[in-house]
Amino acid sequence: MFFDLDDVEHKVRIRTALAPPFWWGKTIYALHTPAILAAELQTAHQSRATFVCSDNDARHLRRLGFGRSVTVVPNALPMPEQPPGLVASPTLMFIGSYGYQPNRDAAHRLLT
């Protein structure tokens, strides 16, 4: 199992709670942070590797005890100066959860 943390959710929860406007409900929202962190830690320890999008997130998680298996996979990659040539056979890559019906429909449409 691999754990893909496209956002470190306990950090998002704190950041959201501290951002204006301030209201009492956001304080209660922030109280969920320890449970979210515990779930992230447990899942990371059960996984072969944990993927994050930035070096900052990787350093943060390692400081919290997530271990050395935290790997950075950036959201964006640099574009080559020259586009690659066309491939000999048609190639398609579809990224999405097949548990979500619109994604299944899109994949089926692309294949047919």
Side-chain angles (χ1 to χ4, degrees), residues 53-77:
C53 299
S54 74
D55 290 324
N56 287 342
D57 284 344
R59 280 191 299 276
H60 174 74
L61 294 180
R62 287 183 189 121
R63 277 195 309 267
L64 292 176
F66 278 67
R68 297 184 183 272
S69 66
V70 177
T71 303
V72 176
V73 179
N75 280 334
L77 299 173

Side-chain angles (χ1 to χ4, degrees), residues 11-23 26-27 29-30:
K11 285 176 64 176
V12 172
R13 186 62 59 116
I14 292 168
R15 190 170 51 239
T16 302
L18 296 177
F22 299 105
W23 42 277
K26 287 174 81 173
T27 303
Y29 187 74

Side-chain angles (χ1 to χ4, degrees), residues 1-110:
M1 180 170 76
F2 297 97
F3 186 29
D4 180 16
L5 268 172
D6 60 330
D7 239 337
V8 179
E9 295 302 328
H10 72 271
K11 285 176 64 176
V12 172
R13 186 62 59 116
I14 292 168
R15 190 170 51 239
T16 302
L18 296 177
F22 299 105
W23 42 277
W24 283 106
K26 287 174 81 173
T27 303
I28 294 169
Y29 187 74
L31 293 175
H32 296 134
T33 303
I36 293 169
L37 174 58
E40 289 173 331
L41 263 168
Q42 180 180 13
T43 305
H45 287 297
Q46 293 173 352
S47 301
R48 181 176 282 176
T50 299
F51 301 119
V52 294
C53 299
S54 74
D55 290 324
N56 287 342
D57 284 344
R59 280 191 299 276
H60 174 74
L61 294 180
R62 287 183 189 121
R63 277 195 309 267
L64 292 176
F66 278 67
R68 297 184 183 272
S69 66
V70 177
T71 303
V72 176
V73 179
N75 280 334
L77 299 173
M79 294 295 294
E81 292 203 19
Q82 289 293 325
L86 295 175
V87 295
S89 63
T91 303
L92 174 71
M93 182 164 112
F94 181 82
I95 300 174
S97 169
Y98 296 114
Y100 181 56
Q101 184 63 46
N103 286 350
R104 283 197 307 272
D105 294 344
H108 179 72
R109 182 174 180 187
L110 289 169

